[in-house]
């Protein structure tokens, strides 16, 4: 799977929007962009995924650049509970199973 | 519908002992994945199993580590003759056959004294 690059850490104020960037310049046409997050002392949890079009769900929005070389996870209104490590992961559509390769992720700190 | 269940949540072993970590996947899931997270580090893939088969064990250390997912019962990650460097959180995830998300358990935290 192709590599992603994320900032090590970001800070946000509570109740403000957060934009978490991810660069994936070597993405291939069949790579899906997945986001997971890991709250302190918990297992990772799925946030959102997309291929080409922007995606919205109850947790977040995913904005994908037109050339697909970057994407942004948007939390519309950060809460203290959103403090976590956010992982941007590329997953090839034809890979066996649903195995994911995690990078370093972005540690999001939310200030009250 | 219960999620992925891992036990024990915490396990303490002395050097040289064996550690057995169990994972029951979500109902209806037949694919299990084990990951290891060392303190202050990211998640590293270890092994991917389907019922009774190891599909990909490219992340498993060559010695002392083994995994199984029998026809009946939970998946088990077994670490023989543990050393202090094995101290970590071990996470299990499961999925169905179709492409989709992974569902993770809460992890088993192994401490080797």
């Amino acid at each position: 799977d192709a590599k992603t690059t994320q900032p090590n850490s970001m800070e946000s104020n509570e109740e403000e929007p957060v934009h978490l960037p991810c660069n994936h310049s070597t993405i291939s046409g069949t790579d899906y962009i997945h986001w997971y997050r890991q709250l302190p002392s918990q297992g990772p949890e799925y946030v959102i995924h997309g291929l080409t079009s922007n995606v919205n769900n109850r947790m977040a929005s995913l904005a994908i650049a037109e050339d697909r070389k970057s994407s942004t996870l948007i939390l519309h209104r950060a809460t203290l509970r959103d403090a976590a490590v956010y992982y941007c992961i590329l997953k090839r559509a034809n890979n066996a199973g649903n195995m994911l390769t995690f990078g370093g992720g972005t540690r999001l700190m939310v200030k009250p | 519908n219960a999620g992925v269940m891992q036990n024990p949540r915490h396990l303490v072993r002395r050097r040289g002992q064996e550690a057995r970590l169990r994972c029951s996947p979500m109902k209806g899931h037949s694919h299990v994945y084990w990951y290891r997270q060392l303190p202050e580090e990211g998640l590293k893939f270890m092994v991917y199993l389907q019922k009774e088969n190891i599909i990909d064990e490219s992340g498993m250390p060559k010695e002392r580590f083994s995994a199984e997912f029998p026809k009946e019962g939970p998946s088990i990650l077994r670490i023989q003759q543990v050393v202090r460097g094995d101290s970590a959180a071990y996470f299990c995830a499961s999925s169905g056959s179709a492409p989709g998300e992974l569902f993770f358990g809460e992890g088993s935290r192994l401490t080797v004294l």
Side-chain angles (χ1 to χ4, degrees), chain A residues 36 38 41 44 97-100, chain B residues 33 35 37 95 98 100 102 109:
Chain A
Y36 281 71
Q38 187 176 20
S41 300
N98 290 296
M99 188 183 82
L100 298 172
Chain B
Y33 312 78
Y35 287 80
Q37 188 169 36
S95 74
L102 289 187
R109 281 154 183 82

Side-chain angles (χ1 to χ4, degrees), chain B residues 13-108:
Chain B
R13 285 287 178 266
R14 296 191 181 280
R15 279 178 297 170
Q17 292 185 319
E18 179 179 286
R20 283 191 183 222
L21 310 177
R22 288 175 291 278
C23 170
S24 296
M26 280 185 71
K27 188 177 180 181
H29 285 182
S30 58
H31 299 233
V32 163
Y33 312 78
W34 284 94
Y35 287 80
R36 177 166 66 174
Q37 188 169 36
L38 296 170
E40 303 304 319
E41 292 191 17
L43 291 123
K44 301 297 182 191
F45 166 77
M46 298 182 75
V47 62
Y48 160 36
L49 311 103
Q50 292 182 28
K51 283 285 187 182
E52 300 185 278
N53 290 305
I54 296 174
I55 307 303
D56 184 337
E57 56 180 348
S58 57
M60 285 280 269
K62 294 287 184 273
E63 296 177 348
R64 302 188 297 110
F65 284 72
S66 62
E68 63 176 9
F69 189 16
K71 189 176 178 182
E72 301 290 338
S75 175
I76 295 174
L77 180 67
R78 182 182 177 207
I79 312 171
Q80 295 178 290
Q81 300 173 331
V82 295
V83 301
R84 287 216 174 112
D86 296 333
S87 295
Y90 291 83
F91 290 97
C92 169
S94 75
S95 74
S97 299
E101 64 185 274
L102 289 187
F103 293 84
F104 282 83
E106 294 292 318
S108 292

